[in-house]
Amino acid sequence: MAPSFRPRAPRPGPIKTQEELDEMVRRMKGEQKAPDNYRERSLKLHGWICAKCGREFDLANLHLLTVHHKDGNHNYNPPDGSNWENLCVYCHDDEHSRSILADYLRGDDRKK
């Protein structure tokens, strides 16, 4: 007989009370490592404005404002924000494409 590939029905487990479920959620949230959210810190430090073109943002279009790492190292996130600048997606794209164009014009065709 060929094996069946149909999904199995969930196995019923012991029914938990709401208090048990709440405690389980609290424990699981406590075990999670808090993410190092440098974007929120950069927005708080530098404001909701593009450092290059000066465009101001509000809550409706804040998703278009990004954090650019000045030295290119995404792991270097000093608490004073000295390695960050807030750039709109257009300026951020322009910033990165400039280095690609410079490498091309310089004849530097090495893969990074």
Side-chain angles (χ1 to χ4, degrees):
M1 179 182 269
S4 172
F5 293 103
R6 289 183 304 170
R8 287 185 239 149
R11 296 181 185 161
I15 297 175
K16 298 194 182 294
T17 65
Q18 187 62 43
E19 291 81 23
E20 291 172 322
L21 293 172
D22 291 342
E23 177 57 33
M24 187 184 320
V25 168
R26 272 192 295 278
R27 184 174 41 83
M28 291 170 66
K29 282 185 177 181
E31 291 172 358
Q32 290 178 343
K33 182 181 178 279
D36 182 27
N37 196 340
Y38 61 84
R39 183 175 189 274
E40 286 182 14
R41 290 189 293 160
S42 181
L43 292 173
K44 195 176 289 187
L45 283 170
H46 302 294
W48 293 8
I49 188 166
C50 177
K52 195 169 183 181
C53 69
R55 180 178 174 190
E56 294 183 17
F57 292 82
D58 56 25
L59 201 53
N61 62 1
L62 188 60
H63 65 280
L64 296 175
L65 189 61
T66 64
V67 177
H68 174 67
H69 288 79
K70 294 177 186 178
D71 70 354
N73 183 356
H74 291 249
N75 295 319
Y76 179 55
N77 295 306
D80 65 349
S82 59
N83 190 35
W84 307 323
E85 61 182 350
N86 295 341
L87 298 177
C88 68
V89 292
Y90 309 109
C91 292
H92 200 170
D93 187 44
D94 181 58
E95 190 70 28
H96 285 282
S97 64
R98 285 176 184 260
S99 63
I100 294 169
L101 179 61
D103 289 345
Y104 174 75
L105 293 175
R106 198 172 36 239
D108 186 9
D109 59 353
R110 292 174 287 156
K111 299 287 182 195
K112 293 184 180 181

